[in-house]
Amino acid sequence: MTSAEPAEKLLTPVLSASWDDARPWTLATYRRHQGYQGLKAALAMPPDDVIALVKDAGLRGRGGAGFPTGMKWQFIPQNDGKPHYLVVNADESEPGTCKDIPLLFANPHALIEGMIIASYAIRCDHAFVYLRGEVVPVLRRLHAAVAEAYAAGLLGRDILGSGIDLDITVHAGAGAYICGEETALLDSLEGRRGQPRLRPPFPAIAGLYACPTVVNNVESIASVPPILARGKEWFKGLGTEKSPGFTLYSLSGHVTNPGQYEAPLGITLRQLLDLSGGVRAGHRLKFWTPGGSSTPMFTEEHLDVPLDYEGVGAAGSMLGTKALQVFDETTCVVRAVTRWTEFYAHESCGKCTPCREGTYWLVQLLERIEAGEGVEGDLEKLLDIADNINGKSFCALGDGAASPIVSSLQHFRAEYEQHLAERRCPFDPAASTVWADGPRPGHPSATEREVHA
Amino acid sequence: MTNVELGLPALPAPPYPEEVRARLAADAAELIGRYPQARSALLPLLHLVQAEEGFVSATGIRFCAEQLDLTTAEVTAVATFYTMYRRRPAGKYHVGVCTNTLCAVLGGDRIFEELQEHLGIRNNETTEDGTVSIEHIECNAACDYAPVVMVNWEFFDDQTPQSARKLVDDLRAGREVRPTRGARLCGFKETARILAGFPDERPGANDESGAGGAPSLAGLRLARGEALPGTPGTRVVSPRHEEPRHEEPRVEEPRHEEPRHEEPGQEGTEA
């Protein structure tokens, strides 16, 4: 796929702008890129004005649900005599999602600055980063960046002479997708099994230790400092009216150049593919997810859907985490959905029956269909079980488990039926591998790059 | 009366030897002190005992319970919920192969099969020499680098069956391997200690392997007008609006600009 079309000024690196500079994870480099200028601006304003500014800018949560960030802050009751907490959700585990981890690896100070601003706004003096445990390189950089911030007087007592105190505790999880659900995350951070809580009360009223708590995604918080430094009008000038701003789109799968593409909200997959070299040479798009495996899948007919909250919603899916997983015609959709379903079954926390039992039975059905042992009525049974999970489970994990099944049956029912009729999977998994057609251009495999120094 | 072996652990579990207990208790006190409520330190404490023994033993569970004034049943309930806590010893190098959908389709399934055949062990088993254990893992947030292999939770990106086989051969032979993203490897126990919340103290470890590989920088390079491999090299400038609406600075920073000097006395003391 080539791009002879006029390359419409599509990309806007903000969070990623420093990533090719020298040691961008350090405070010195971060400061060269307007680092901690947003904090200075925030500290010059009353906390309520900071909340109002973030709200007026229209920043919406980047972790999946898209809830307005400033509104979450505003829900925190003030002068209630209780401690307030900020908890950053860095448990990035949604299949396909890979934005917060590279962001924190390259630029952890963007998060720390955002956390200081958010803590100032909600009057919190102890904030937490809940980082999934399986990413030690990121944990290492977060530890170092927090230490650097303390040494520079950006954390601790009387930050920059403002009279404001803030401690940040970096907390490593231990492997549980469900902890990305904000109330499960809070239970986990309290030293318990990560199981979701009944809401209400919402975390803004009774969160960590039953105190008012804001839980925000990494990218949401990291997007705050540029808004303070450059103004809400600048932010609203990017993206669309209801989905303003910039965001990280993560392109992966059967594409020529997988990676992070920071752009205003509302770009389309067609535009991103045109820019980045398209689907891998000699192949064509079959299906893709707009925001991780829990968002109903799209096909070629959705290439021009604006990738913002409203656009993707109107087309029947969700923007989610903007994890654009692209699969070409060599991929068996039944295999893909089976694997995702195995994931949901493995990660179901066991608290509610529809999800715990439903995901188990979905796996049994899908595995036998993929193996060519499905029987008549299996597809109806799949839909029936998915319907008994979707909207009827305790948290969104169950809804997510139903999404790939329902959407794939909507778009590719014939492929499921082919598995039943032929009593086998008609695809060759070897054809889907990255090495099937030789090395990707400019994307040497590990063997060629000699990682083994 | 005959003794019936049920394979259950003897209870109560034996405690750590006193010198171990005292050392870990000091570490535990530091971790507990980081939280407003002590129980929040349970996950870090479980990483800590895993750092001691390479897995979470009944003795480790007893230790955690004592530090937090919980029952061993309460600690066990937590320890068994999370997949990173092992109930049997891991190898010195714990190799995780992502077999969630995207990595699996792009080759992760083949890589995992290859490693099982090559090492003669199956999922969650360890080689006889104790050097390598393998596990198929869920999505590790590196899909743009697929297929992905983790060793002691450091990233080995863009793997093939051949590269993965060489990787485990080198690990078993004691040859140094470098992750594509992350620091040179330490053992599984040392990694668990970092997870408990004690920063990696090896000089320079934090600066190893740069800010990310080609996928992390793909969009930035395009925005700078550079061509990506396999693209016709169209120049892309940001932002997309025809006319700049405001006098705000450009979105992107000039590359390698001179460091701006901070006004003195405003940012506190740096280091």
Side-chain angles (χ1 to χ4, degrees):
Chain A
M1 200 182 292
T2 60
S3 171
E5 300 158 19
E8 241 196 329
K9 340 303 177 194
L10 286 166
L11 299 174
T12 51
V14 179
L15 297 176
S16 60
S18 65
W19 294 3
D20 62 348
D21 201 346
R23 301 168 76 232
W25 54 90
T26 61
L27 180 57
T29 303
Y30 185 60
R31 281 198 162 125
R32 286 207 302 278
H33 294 265
Q34 294 195 336
Y36 291 100
Q37 296 300 311
L39 174 61
K40 275 189 187 168
L43 292 177
M45 301 159 64
D48 285 343
D49 289 4
V50 176
I51 295 177
L53 181 95
V54 171
K55 201 175 144 192
D56 292 349
L59 174 64
R60 296 174 63 175
R62 303 292 193 236
F67 194 81
T69 303
M71 202 126 51
K72 264 195 180 180
W73 297 3
Q74 199 176 39
F75 287 155
I76 297 293
Q78 295 302 335
N79 304 312
D80 56 345
K82 291 182 181 172
H84 301 167
Y85 295 108
L86 170 71
V87 179
V88 171
N89 185 345
D91 192 55
E92 183 164 72
S93 307
E94 166 78 9
T97 306
C98 50
K99 63 190 182 67
D100 297 336
I101 293 308
L103 166 60
L104 290 174
F105 187 61
N107 190 6
H109 280 285
L111 176 69
I112 295 171
E113 183 182 4
M115 288 177 74
I116 305 170
I117 295 169
S119 298
Y120 172 69
I122 65 165
R123 288 83 151 178
C124 145
D125 63 10
H126 197 162
F128 298 84
V129 184
Y130 187 104
L131 176 70
R132 66 179 299 185
E134 302 98 322
V135 288
V136 170
V138 173
L139 179 61
R140 192 181 279 117
R141 291 219 167 133
L142 266 177
H143 278 154
V146 167
E148 240 186 337
Y150 270 106
L154 295 161
L155 289 175
R157 305 282 81 80
D158 192 19
I159 292 168
L160 302 182
S162 62
I164 301 299
D165 302 337
L166 179 65
D167 286 310
I168 289 182
T169 298
V170 178
H171 181 95
Y177 167 66
I178 188 62
C179 292
E181 196 282 335
E182 65 176 8
T183 61
L185 185 152
L186 293 174
D187 258 33
S188 179
L189 184 54
E190 291 182 1
R192 299 168 194 280
R193 295 162 74 92
Q195 294 192 315
R197 299 174 178 176
L198 190 65
R199 292 177 295 188
F202 289 91
I205 305 302
L208 188 65
Y209 314 127
C211 292
T213 302
V214 166
V215 184
N216 280 147
N217 168 261
V218 169
E219 190 191 347
S220 313
I221 289 288
S223 298
V224 169
I227 296 174
L228 269 294
R230 305 181 197 192
K232 66 182 178 190
E233 294 307 322
W234 164 77
F235 189 78
K236 289 162 83 169
L238 299 166
T240 61
E241 190 191 339
K242 289 183 176 167
S243 300
F246 55 88
T247 196
L248 285 163
Y249 291 97
S250 308
L251 196 55
S252 65
H254 291 132
V255 293
T256 306
N257 287 294
Q260 306 301 319
Y261 295 85
E262 200 173 2
L265 282 155
I267 197 169
T268 66
L269 180 62
R270 187 189 302 281
Q271 290 171 313
L272 281 167
L273 287 174
D274 280 352
L275 283 173
S276 67
V279 170
R280 65 175 175 163
H283 295 274
R284 57 190 168 74
L285 175 67
K286 182 175 176 181
F287 61 96
W288 56 289
T289 67
S293 59
S294 302
T295 59
M297 67 173 61
F298 278 165
T299 64
E300 214 171 21
E301 67 177 285
H302 303 98
L303 273 169
D304 296 311
V305 170
L307 296 174
D308 56 33
Y309 300 97
E310 292 71 30
V312 180
S317 188
M318 290 176 294
L319 184 63
T321 55
K322 305 135 318 153
L324 308 167
Q325 307 177 84
V326 172
F327 297 91
D328 70 17
E329 85 291 348
T330 64
T331 314
C332 172
V333 78
V334 178
R335 178 187 178 204
V337 171
T338 302
R339 194 58 60 90
W340 279 324
T341 307
E342 288 170 338
F343 166 79
Y344 291 109
H346 180 254
E347 300 296 336
S348 175
C349 77
K351 179 163 182 157
C352 77
T353 309
C355 176
R356 181 187 65 241
E357 304 299 320
T359 54
Y360 171 84
W361 286 107
L362 287 173
V363 168
Q364 306 307 308
L365 284 166
L366 281 164
E367 284 182 347
R368 84 179 185 199
I369 294 169
E370 194 198 353
E373 294 160 5
V375 298
E376 204 190 325
D378 274 2
L379 304 188
E380 287 65 38
K381 198 169 289 176
L382 273 180
L383 284 172
D384 186 39
I385 297 174
D387 182 54
N388 273 301
I389 300 175
N390 191 19
K392 301 177 178 81
S393 49
F394 197 82
C395 79
L397 188 147
D399 303 342
S403 282
I405 290 169
V406 174
S407 60
S408 65
L409 273 163
Q410 183 189 337
H411 298 302
F412 299 101
R413 190 178 177 101
E415 196 168 308
Y416 281 87
E417 285 168 346
Q418 193 182 357
H419 281 73
L420 296 178
E422 296 182 16
R423 306 199 65 74
R424 68 182 184 99
C425 173
F427 290 87
D428 172 15
S432 302
T433 61
V434 283
W435 53 81
D437 304 334
R440 278 182 276 186
H443 203 85
S445 71
T447 33
E448 295 160 62
R449 208 177 37 226
E450 291 191 52
V451 293
H452 314 294
Chain B
M1 291 285 283
T2 53
N3 281 329
V4 179
E5 182 56 66
L6 293 175
L8 294 172
L11 291 174
Y16 283 123
E18 179 48 31
E19 69 275 14
V20 175
R21 195 206 61 77
R23 172 167 49 81
L24 293 182
D27 287 341
E30 183 179 340
L31 295 174
I32 291 167
R34 296 179 190 175
Y35 298 90
Q37 293 189 13
R39 184 166 175 162
S40 281
L42 180 51
L43 266 61
L45 289 188
L46 286 164
H47 283 304
L48 179 70
V49 297
Q50 180 146 280
E52 188 64 24
E53 297 183 84
F55 71 113
V56 176
S57 67
T59 298
I61 285 173
R62 175 178 167 174
F63 172 83
C64 293
E66 286 168 358
Q67 304 308 306
L68 298 173
D69 200 20
L70 298 172
T71 66
T72 52
E74 286 169 320
V75 175
T76 304
V78 174
T80 53
F81 185 84
Y82 297 93
T83 53
M84 286 176 78
Y85 301 128
R86 301 185 57 81
R87 291 188 238 180
R88 282 174 295 172
K92 182 178 183 191
Y93 300 106
H94 186 59
V95 177
V97 181
C98 178
T99 57
N100 202 304
T101 298
L102 191 119
C103 273
V105 165
L106 265 60
D109 274 356
R110 182 72 205 103
I111 290 171
F112 192 60
E113 283 165 22
E114 179 85 17
L115 288 185
Q116 290 182 92
E117 286 164 22
H118 184 63
L119 294 169
I121 55 175
R122 301 181 63 84
N123 187 39
N124 257 321
E125 292 180 352
T126 307
T127 54
E128 274 187 15
D129 60 4
T131 50
V132 171
S133 48
I134 58 171
E135 181 185 15
H136 66 79
I137 60 171
E138 298 300 355
C139 184
N140 222 79
C143 314
D144 46 347
Y145 292 92
V148 170
V149 169
M150 308 296 294
V151 181
N152 291 348
W153 307 116
E154 311 273 349
F155 287 101
F156 289 77
D157 301 313
D158 302 311
Q159 293 292 302
T160 65
Q162 296 76 23
S163 69
R165 201 168 54 215
K166 183 172 185 324
L167 171 62
V168 295
D169 284 348
D170 286 345
L171 290 171
R172 297 187 78 188
R175 288 188 286 269
E176 189 187 57
V177 299
R178 294 281 181 125
T180 40
R181 285 178 297 151
R184 85 203 93 106
L185 295 180
C186 48
F188 181 78
K189 293 181 187 175
E190 290 78 30
T191 304
R193 190 171 168 83
I194 299 171
L195 285 161
F198 295 104
D200 192 337
E201 288 173 353
R202 297 174 297 166
N206 194 49
D207 290 337
E208 287 177 31
S209 85
S216 293
L217 300 177
L220 184 58
R221 288 194 173 135
L222 272 183
R224 299 225 191 284
E226 296 173 33
L228 293 184
T231 67
T234 44
R235 193 179 160 77
V236 182
V237 189
S238 64
R240 70 170 168 171
H241 300 291
E242 298 74 18
E243 297 294 327
R245 293 193 194 174
H246 315 291
E247 295 300 308
E248 311 296 340
R250 273 170 60 86
V251 166
E252 59 189 270
E253 296 284 339
R255 199 175 176 182
H256 305 309
E257 65 173 2
E258 287 301 309
R260 275 184 231 117
H261 294 286
E262 300 295 333
E263 292 108 75
Q266 295 227 346
E267 298 276 313
T269 52
E270 193 173 346

